[in-house]
Amino acid sequence: GAVVSQHPSWVICKSGTSVKIECRSLDFQATTMFWYRQFPKQSLMLMATSNEGSKATYEQGVEKDKFLINHASLTLSTLTVTSAHPEDSSFYICSAFGVGVGKETQYFGPGTRLLVL
Amino acid sequence: QKEVEQNSGPLSVPEGAIASLNCTYSDRGSQSFFWYRQYSGKSPELIMSIYSNGDKEDGRFTAQLNKASQYVSLLIRDSQPSDSATYLCAPRMDSSYKLIFGSGTRLLVRP
Protein backbone atom coordinates (compact mmCIF):
# COMPACT_ATOMS: atom_id res chain seq x y z
CA GLY A 1 0.00 0.00 0.00
CA ALA A 2 0.84 3.65 -0.16
CA VAL A 3 3.10 5.09 2.53
CA VAL A 4 2.61 8.47 4.13
CA SER A 5 4.93 9.87 6.76
CA GLN A 6 4.51 12.68 9.24
CA HIS A 7 7.05 14.62 11.20
CA PRO A 8 7.31 15.16 14.07
CA SER A 9 5.35 12.38 15.75
CA TRP A 10 5.24 14.29 19.03
CA VAL A 11 5.62 17.95 19.81
CA ILE A 12 5.34 19.87 23.06
CA CYS A 13 5.41 23.64 22.89
CA LYS A 14 4.65 26.71 24.96
CA SER A 15 1.49 28.69 24.44
CA GLY A 16 1.92 31.36 21.79
CA THR A 17 4.51 29.58 19.71
CA SER A 18 4.01 28.20 16.20
CA VAL A 19 4.39 24.58 15.26
CA LYS A 20 4.96 23.13 11.79
CA ILE A 21 3.93 19.58 10.90
CA GLU A 22 5.13 17.92 7.71
CA CYS A 23 3.26 15.28 5.73
CA ARG A 24 5.03 13.36 2.98
CA SER A 25 3.86 10.75 0.49
CA LEU A 26 6.83 8.41 0.11
CA ASP A 27 5.96 6.18 -2.82
CA PHE A 28 3.37 8.08 -4.81
CA GLN A 29 2.47 11.55 -5.94
CA ALA A 30 -0.20 13.12 -3.79
CA THR A 31 -2.31 15.50 -5.81
CA THR A 32 -4.54 16.04 -2.79
CA MET A 33 -3.74 15.99 0.90
CA PHE A 34 -6.15 16.25 3.77
CA TRP A 35 -5.56 17.41 7.32
CA TYR A 36 -7.59 16.05 10.20
CA ARG A 37 -7.74 16.67 13.91
CA GLN A 38 -8.87 14.13 16.44
CA PHE A 39 -9.65 14.78 20.08
CA PRO A 40 -9.69 11.90 22.60
CA LYS A 41 -12.57 9.46 22.09
CA GLN A 42 -13.87 11.41 19.11
CA SER A 43 -13.82 10.72 15.42
CA LEU A 44 -11.64 12.40 12.87
CA MET A 45 -12.60 15.95 11.99
CA LEU A 46 -11.55 17.18 8.57
CA MET A 47 -9.84 20.55 8.83
CA ALA A 48 -8.84 21.28 5.25
CA THR A 49 -8.15 19.91 1.82
CA SER A 50 -5.04 20.97 -0.05
CA ASN A 51 -4.26 20.47 -3.69
CA GLU A 52 -0.75 20.79 -5.00
CA GLY A 53 0.00 24.29 -6.16
CA SER A 54 -3.24 25.89 -5.00
CA LYS A 55 -4.70 27.33 -1.84
CA ALA A 56 -6.17 25.01 0.73
CA THR A 57 -9.91 24.70 1.20
CA TYR A 58 -10.88 24.90 4.84
CA GLU A 59 -13.90 23.28 6.46
CA GLN A 60 -16.45 25.47 8.14
CA GLY A 61 -15.30 26.64 11.54
CA VAL A 62 -11.59 26.11 10.92
CA GLU A 63 -9.56 29.32 11.11
CA LYS A 64 -7.41 29.53 8.01
CA ASP A 65 -5.16 32.18 9.54
CA LYS A 66 -4.44 29.97 12.49
CA PHE A 67 -3.90 26.73 10.61
CA LEU A 68 -1.68 27.53 7.65
CA ILE A 69 -1.44 24.84 5.01
CA ASN A 70 1.08 24.70 2.21
CA HIS A 71 1.15 22.00 -0.47
CA ALA A 72 4.19 23.06 -2.41
CA SER A 73 5.01 19.77 -4.11
CA LEU A 74 3.37 16.49 -5.04
CA THR A 75 4.96 14.78 -2.07
CA LEU A 76 4.89 17.37 0.70
CA SER A 77 2.25 19.31 2.58
CA THR A 78 2.80 21.26 5.77
CA LEU A 79 0.41 22.41 8.49
CA THR A 80 1.52 25.27 10.70
CA VAL A 81 -0.40 25.91 13.89
CA THR A 82 0.23 29.58 14.57
CA SER A 83 0.17 31.04 18.08
CA ALA A 84 -0.79 27.71 19.53
CA HIS A 85 -2.89 27.57 22.69
CA PRO A 86 -3.73 24.69 25.03
CA GLU A 87 -7.06 24.12 23.28
CA ASP A 88 -5.10 23.31 20.11
CA SER A 89 -3.64 20.26 21.80
CA SER A 90 -4.81 17.34 19.73
CA PHE A 91 -3.82 14.50 17.41
CA TYR A 92 -3.22 15.89 13.92
CA ILE A 93 -3.34 13.42 11.07
CA CYS A 94 -2.72 13.96 7.40
CA SER A 95 -3.82 11.78 4.54
CA ALA A 96 -2.82 11.73 0.91
CA PHE A 97 -4.59 10.81 -2.28
CA GLY A 98 -3.13 10.82 -5.73
CA VAL A 99 -1.80 8.81 -8.61
CA GLY A 100 -0.21 5.41 -8.69
CA VAL A 101 -0.45 3.33 -5.55
CA GLY A 102 -2.25 6.09 -3.72
CA LYS A 103 -5.10 6.44 -6.16
CA GLU A 104 -7.76 4.29 -4.54
CA THR A 105 -8.45 6.25 -1.43
CA GLN A 106 -6.84 8.34 1.25
CA TYR A 107 -3.83 6.84 2.98
CA PHE A 108 -3.08 8.19 6.41
CA GLY A 109 0.12 9.30 8.00
CA PRO A 110 0.95 8.09 11.52
CA GLY A 111 -0.20 11.35 13.08
CA THR A 112 1.38 14.08 15.17
CA ARG A 113 0.43 14.52 18.78
CA LEU A 114 0.58 18.18 19.81
CA LEU A 115 0.62 19.28 23.42
CA VAL A 116 0.52 23.01 24.09
CA LEU A 117 1.46 24.02 27.64
CA GLN B 1 -29.42 13.40 11.34
CA LYS B 2 -25.75 12.51 11.21
CA GLU B 3 -24.28 11.90 7.79
CA VAL B 4 -22.77 8.57 8.81
CA GLU B 5 -24.16 6.54 11.69
CA GLN B 6 -22.37 3.76 13.50
CA ASN B 7 -23.11 2.09 16.79
CA SER B 8 -20.36 3.27 19.11
CA GLY B 9 -20.21 -0.04 20.95
CA PRO B 10 -18.26 -1.58 22.42
CA LEU B 11 -19.16 -4.68 20.48
CA SER B 12 -17.77 -7.59 22.42
CA VAL B 13 -17.29 -10.98 20.76
CA PRO B 14 -15.36 -14.09 21.79
CA GLU B 15 -12.25 -15.08 19.92
CA GLY B 16 -13.12 -17.08 16.80
CA ALA B 17 -16.59 -15.59 16.43
CA ILE B 18 -17.92 -13.41 13.62
CA ALA B 19 -18.03 -9.70 14.35
CA SER B 20 -20.62 -7.69 12.43
CA LEU B 21 -20.18 -3.95 12.12
CA ASN B 22 -22.88 -1.80 10.59
CA CYS B 23 -23.06 1.66 9.07
CA THR B 24 -25.78 3.79 7.51
CA TYR B 25 -25.21 6.95 5.51
CA SER B 26 -27.41 9.79 4.36
CA ASP B 27 -25.79 11.01 1.13
CA ARG B 28 -27.29 9.05 -1.75
CA GLY B 29 -24.59 10.47 -4.00
CA SER B 30 -21.89 8.48 -2.26
CA GLN B 31 -20.44 5.94 -4.64
CA SER B 32 -17.40 4.58 -2.83
CA PHE B 33 -17.22 3.18 0.65
CA PHE B 34 -14.28 2.43 2.87
CA TRP B 35 -13.65 0.72 6.17
CA TYR B 36 -10.71 1.85 8.26
CA ARG B 37 -9.38 0.33 11.45
CA GLN B 38 -7.93 2.57 14.13
CA TYR B 39 -6.03 1.22 17.10
CA SER B 40 -5.96 3.38 20.20
CA GLY B 41 -3.47 6.20 19.79
CA LYS B 42 -2.78 5.38 16.16
CA SER B 43 -3.97 6.73 12.85
CA PRO B 44 -6.53 4.91 10.67
CA GLU B 45 -5.46 2.16 8.32
CA LEU B 46 -7.46 1.01 5.31
CA ILE B 47 -9.15 -2.38 5.69
CA MET B 48 -11.45 -2.60 2.71
CA SER B 49 -13.17 -0.68 0.00
CA ILE B 50 -16.41 -1.46 -1.80
CA TYR B 51 -18.02 0.25 -4.74
CA SER B 52 -20.83 -2.01 -5.98
CA ASN B 53 -23.87 -3.48 -4.32
CA GLY B 54 -23.29 -6.92 -2.88
CA ASP B 55 -20.44 -8.56 -1.04
CA LYS B 56 -16.70 -8.20 -1.35
CA GLU B 57 -14.41 -10.60 0.46
CA ASP B 58 -10.77 -10.13 1.41
CA GLY B 59 -9.35 -12.76 3.69
CA ARG B 60 -11.28 -12.75 6.96
CA PHE B 61 -13.08 -9.55 6.03
CA THR B 62 -16.27 -9.19 4.02
CA ALA B 63 -17.79 -5.84 3.16
CA GLN B 64 -21.44 -5.63 2.18
CA LEU B 65 -23.09 -2.72 0.41
CA ASN B 66 -26.73 -1.92 -0.22
CA LYS B 67 -27.05 1.48 -1.84
CA ALA B 68 -30.84 1.37 -1.95
CA SER B 69 -30.93 1.01 1.82
CA GLN B 70 -27.90 3.29 2.27
CA TYR B 71 -26.27 0.60 4.33
CA VAL B 72 -22.77 -0.81 4.43
CA SER B 73 -21.39 -3.44 6.78
CA LEU B 74 -18.17 -5.22 7.61
CA LEU B 75 -17.98 -8.82 8.77
CA ILE B 76 -14.88 -10.13 10.45
CA ARG B 77 -14.67 -13.92 10.56
CA ASP B 78 -12.58 -15.85 13.07
CA SER B 79 -12.13 -12.72 15.16
CA GLN B 80 -8.80 -12.38 16.92
CA PRO B 81 -7.85 -10.29 19.96
CA SER B 82 -5.62 -8.29 17.60
CA ASP B 83 -8.80 -7.18 15.79
CA SER B 84 -9.78 -5.19 18.87
CA ALA B 85 -9.89 -1.61 17.63
CA THR B 86 -12.28 1.08 16.47
CA TYR B 87 -13.69 0.54 12.99
CA LEU B 88 -14.55 3.61 10.97
CA CYS B 89 -17.01 3.61 8.10
CA ALA B 90 -16.31 6.25 5.46
CA PRO B 91 -18.40 6.94 2.39
CA ARG B 92 -16.66 9.09 -0.16
CA MET B 93 -17.93 12.10 -2.00
CA ASP B 94 -16.33 11.26 -5.32
CA SER B 95 -16.49 14.78 -6.64
CA SER B 96 -14.14 16.03 -3.96
CA TYR B 97 -12.56 12.78 -2.77
CA LYS B 98 -13.51 13.72 0.77
CA LEU B 99 -14.26 10.93 3.20
CA ILE B 100 -17.14 11.39 5.59
CA PHE B 101 -16.26 9.49 8.74
CA GLY B 102 -18.65 7.93 11.17
CA SER B 103 -17.84 8.07 14.85
CA GLY B 104 -16.69 4.47 14.73
CA THR B 105 -17.59 1.21 16.41
CA ARG B 106 -15.27 -0.08 19.09
CA LEU B 107 -14.74 -3.83 18.80
CA LEU B 108 -13.45 -5.95 21.66
CA VAL B 109 -12.46 -9.54 20.95
CA ARG B 110 -12.27 -11.57 24.15
CA PRO B 111 -9.57 -14.28 24.30
Side-chain angles (χ1 to χ4, degrees):
Chain A
V3 180
V4 177
S5 70
Q6 269 185 256
H7 177 80
S9 55
W10 264 101
V11 59
I12 302 174
C13 69
K14 293 182 179 179
S15 184
T17 59
S18 293
V19 175
K20 180 185 282 188
I21 302 170
E22 291 186 350
C23 176
R24 293 183 185 272
S25 57
L26 299 185
D27 54 0
F28 67 101
Q29 294 182 321
T31 52
T32 305
M33 286 185 170
F34 301 86
W35 287 95
Y36 295 84
R37 180 167 55 179
Q38 187 175 36
F39 294 106
K41 299 189 186 302
Q42 294 186 23
S43 191
L44 287 85
M45 186 193 81
L46 179 63
M47 299 174 67
T49 303
S50 75
N51 294 296
E52 186 265 338
S54 61
K55 289 185 178 180
T57 302
Y58 291 82
E59 295 299 302
Q60 191 173 10
V62 177
E63 301 173 59
K64 63 180 181 181
D65 294 330
K66 181 171 184 62
F67 299 100
L68 302 179
I69 292 171
N70 183 277
H71 192 164
S73 77
L74 285 172
T75 59
L76 174 64
S77 175
T78 60
L79 168 68
T80 301
V81 184
T82 61
S83 186
H85 291 284
E87 58 266 28
D88 298 322
S89 298
S90 188
F91 190 37
Y92 291 86
I93 312 172
C94 73
S95 71
F97 175 88
V99 300
V101 295
K103 67 180 179 182
E104 182 183 7
T105 186
Q106 296 179 33
Y107 288 88
F108 286 84
T112 296
R113 206 162 293 279
L114 170 64
L115 177 61
V116 184
L117 302 177
Chain B
Q1 181 187 4
K2 291 183 181 178
E3 292 184 79
V4 180
E5 298 244 20
Q6 292 182 258
N7 188 320
S8 61
L11 171 65
S12 181
V13 301
E15 183 174 355
I18 296 176
S20 177
L21 307 165
N22 305 314
C23 171
T24 58
Y25 60 95
S26 61
D27 184 3
R28 286 193 173 275
S30 299
Q31 295 297 317
S32 308
F33 303 85
F34 303 88
W35 282 98
Y36 286 84
R37 176 174 63 195
Q38 186 175 26
Y39 290 111
S40 181
K42 302 295 185 181
S43 67
E45 58 178 318
L46 179 66
I47 297 296
M48 283 200 69
S49 60
I50 187 165
Y51 306 97
S52 305
N53 282 328
D55 296 358
K56 179 182 177 182
E57 187 174 317
D58 184 359
R60 295 187 297 115
F61 299 96
T62 299
Q64 299 173 318
L65 174 61
N66 184 325
K67 291 183 181 180
S69 300
Q70 295 175 251
Y71 174 86
V72 59
S73 67
L74 180 70
L75 300 178
I76 307 175
R77 289 181 298 283
D78 188 24
S79 295
Q80 301 296 309
S82 58
D83 295 326
S84 298
T86 297
Y87 289 80
L88 302 168
C89 168
R92 183 171 75 189
M93 298 170 61
D94 285 338
S95 59
S96 67
Y97 301 110
K98 285 185 187 179
L99 293 174
I100 309 299
F101 282 96
S103 56
T105 297
R106 186 171 161 227
L107 173 66
L108 293 175
V109 181
R110 308 187 304 272

